[in-house]
Amino acid sequence: MNPSSNRSSRLRRFLPRCALLVAMLLAACGGSRSDAHESAEAWKDWNRFAEHYIQADGRLIDWTFEEKSTSEGQSYALFFSLVANDRARFDQVLRWTSENLAGNALGDKLPAWHWGRKDDGSWGVKDGNSAADGDLWTAYSLLEAARLWSAPEYEAIGRKLLAQVAAQEVVMGVVGGAVLLPAPYGFRIGEQRFKFDPCYVPPFQFRYFGTVDPKGPWLSILDGYMTRSAKIFHAGVAPDLITLDAGGGVEADPDRPTASYDAIRVYLWAGMSERDGPGQLQLLRPFAELIRKNGVPPEKVDTRTGQAVPQDWTPSGFMAASLPFLRALGEDDLRKQVQSRMERERSRAWAMNKANYYDEVLVLFGLGWIEKRFRFDREGRLQPAWAKQPAAG
């Protein structure tokens, strides 16, 4: 036998044993870094997203729109870092968010929603108004990181953020239940009318906030939203924005007669909300018929008629966002059809360097859900695939 061939044979037998030994040693040490690495390695979509959109310092860049960063993007990066059990990246994202969007005082201050290149060529905050969805996804991710990683230092910041949102972005005293404003400024119409964005209220998230902060306005906001849902979704589709009044009235928003990039998340959240989603799913079932008719979710829908606005293109993220919705409705054949189309469109977009941040966020949510990488229990707690599940409570 050739000596070099014999050495190669021995080496091939040795390497698997060596790898097994290393794995056993790491497991015995209980290294969270190893767990995070293995978890992240298994989620290729997250790996690619993080590599393409998140800098080493924790800044998530939306390359599609002037390389801007937003509090929404940072909050989603926190959430998916937690789902991937990637604490090192979580801390990087959290640090950048606090330093650059909240003057290094996140929790004591709400983060600015928009950071980017300013008119003078410098980089920094372009709009200091906050965005309630980014604020609440950040708070949710911090509170759940504290629980899942046994890291109470995150909880203090998360609770401070909840208090800031309650003080600055919630309208109390509205008939039917409190209202979450999209931001502290710009969404009040006089003293008695307000603009409301349904996608800013994921039912599972507000169920969770009501559990961890029972004295807060969260269940009142959720109850009001659920009570008003029949009027909000009167045409069987979700709007981007509606107008509410203090007496409980619901009106279409005159500036947004069509629904699109905000509304698509309403279907996503309904499909993920085990406890509160079923009622909304039935109200929104006509949207599934639009998907069946078009083959994919329409990019734009007329909220007055419930009909799709003719378009020759649908974002791949919309297809991904519809997957939990269709699964929850029992439309699995249609879901598989949409998923197959989505996977083809994504592959083409990445190959042509045309993938964009928002589409890929919706993919992480929608496809991640279908792949069972995470769930939310009846109290809205996160159940990542890597974690031991909490006892029912």
Side-chain angles (χ1 to χ4, degrees):
M1 180 180 289
N2 186 315
S4 63
S5 175
N6 192 31
R7 286 195 299 271
S8 296
S9 178
R10 290 198 301 271
L11 184 60
R12 285 195 297 271
R13 291 195 301 271
F14 171 73
L15 285 175
R17 297 174 185 172
C18 181
L20 178 60
L21 178 61
V22 170
M24 290 172 64
L25 287 171
L26 287 173
C29 293
S32 61
R33 184 177 297 275
S34 171
D35 293 342
H37 177 74
E38 291 173 3
S39 180
E41 280 297 315
W43 196 4
K44 294 181 180 179
D45 287 324
W46 163 248
N47 285 344
R48 181 163 62 173
F49 179 93
E51 180 180 347
H52 189 71
Y53 296 106
I54 304 176
Q55 291 186 154
D57 64 357
R59 178 193 168 209
L60 187 148
I61 304 174
D62 185 345
W63 297 105
T64 311
F65 295 98
E66 301 177 334
E67 300 179 29
K68 73 178 182 180
S69 295
T70 63
S71 59
E72 170 205 278
Q74 296 299 121
S75 72
Y76 289 156
L78 287 172
F79 175 75
F80 290 119
S81 295
L82 179 56
V83 172
N85 198 20
D86 189 346
R87 187 167 175 180
R89 197 182 304 276
F90 186 97
D91 286 340
Q92 291 164 350
V93 173
L94 181 61
R95 186 179 306 112
W96 191 93
T97 303
S98 183
E99 291 177 353
N100 294 276
L101 302 185
N104 208 25
L106 187 66
D108 295 318
K109 294 176 59 178
L110 292 174
W113 85 269
H114 186 187
W115 190 98
R117 189 191 295 274
K118 297 188 283 188
D119 292 341
D120 63 3
S122 65
W123 292 82
V125 171
K126 296 187 70 173
D127 188 339
N129 205 11
S130 63
D133 62 336
D135 302 337
L136 290 173
W137 273 103
T138 297
Y140 180 86
S141 299
L142 285 164
L143 292 169
E144 283 297 82
R147 177 179 68 85
L148 290 163
W149 285 331
S150 299
E153 61 269 26
Y154 299 129
E155 182 176 356
I157 306 172
R159 288 191 176 278
K160 285 182 178 180
L161 276 174
L162 283 186
Q164 291 287 347
V165 171
Q168 299 187 51
E169 297 176 329
V170 176
V171 179
M172 302 299 293
V174 179
V175 173
V179 174
L180 178 74
L181 297 175
Y185 308 106
F187 293 90
R188 294 177 183 266
I189 308 170
E191 293 296 321
Q192 298 294 314
R193 300 175 72 225
F194 326 96
K195 295 199 175 188
F196 171 73
D197 189 330
C199 82
Y200 279 31
V201 184
F204 57 83
Q205 192 177 83
F206 280 72
R207 183 66 60 186
Y208 173 82
F209 291 145
T211 299
V212 300
D213 181 25
K215 294 183 179 180
W218 320 112
L219 291 182
S220 178
I221 293 170
L222 177 60
D223 290 345
Y225 177 37
M226 300 303 290
T227 299
R228 300 178 188 112
S229 287
K231 293 181 179 178
I232 295 172
F233 309 140
H234 68 93
V237 297
D240 280 348
L241 278 176
I242 61 167
T243 300
L244 302 176
D245 64 53
V250 177
E251 302 174 20
D253 188 84
D255 300 323
R256 302 281 282 273
T258 59
S260 188
Y261 288 86
D262 276 12
I264 193 63
R265 286 178 286 184
V266 174
Y267 309 104
L268 176 65
W269 308 147
M272 292 178 171
S273 298
E274 176 185 344
R275 184 167 175 177
D276 301 290
Q280 289 194 324
L281 288 169
Q282 294 311 310
L283 292 171
L284 294 168
R285 184 176 283 277
F287 189 70
E289 297 306 314
L290 292 183
I291 297 175
R292 196 187 320 278
K293 181 178 179 180
N294 289 272
V296 291
E299 183 194 13
K300 296 180 180 179
V301 177
D302 188 322
T303 58
R304 297 162 297 189
T305 65
Q307 297 301 307
V309 176
Q311 300 283 313
D312 57 5
W313 177 75
T314 288
S316 60
F318 280 37
M319 303 179 210
S322 73
L323 301 181
F325 173 71
L326 294 172
R327 167 69 63 81
L329 284 173
E331 295 277 3
D332 220 43
D333 289 341
L334 182 57
R335 191 269 303 171
K336 291 176 182 177
Q337 172 189 321
V338 172
Q339 184 171 337
S340 178
R341 172 78 175 271
M342 179 271 295
E343 290 168 349
R344 293 196 303 271
E345 295 292 333
R346 283 187 71 221
S347 295
R348 184 179 300 114
W350 279 106
M352 299 174 65
N353 197 30
K354 290 186 176 180
N356 71 70
Y357 146 78
Y358 190 60
D359 277 342
E360 291 302 306
V361 162
L362 295 179
V363 166
L364 292 177
F365 272 119
L367 190 57
W369 180 268
I370 293 297
E371 293 174 347
K372 299 184 178 179
R373 298 190 181 277
F374 65 97
R375 285 289 187 272
F376 303 103
D377 70 11
R378 287 181 60 80
E379 300 304 323
R381 291 175 296 193
L382 176 64
Q383 298 179 315
W386 57 264
K388 181 179 179 182
Q389 304 309 329

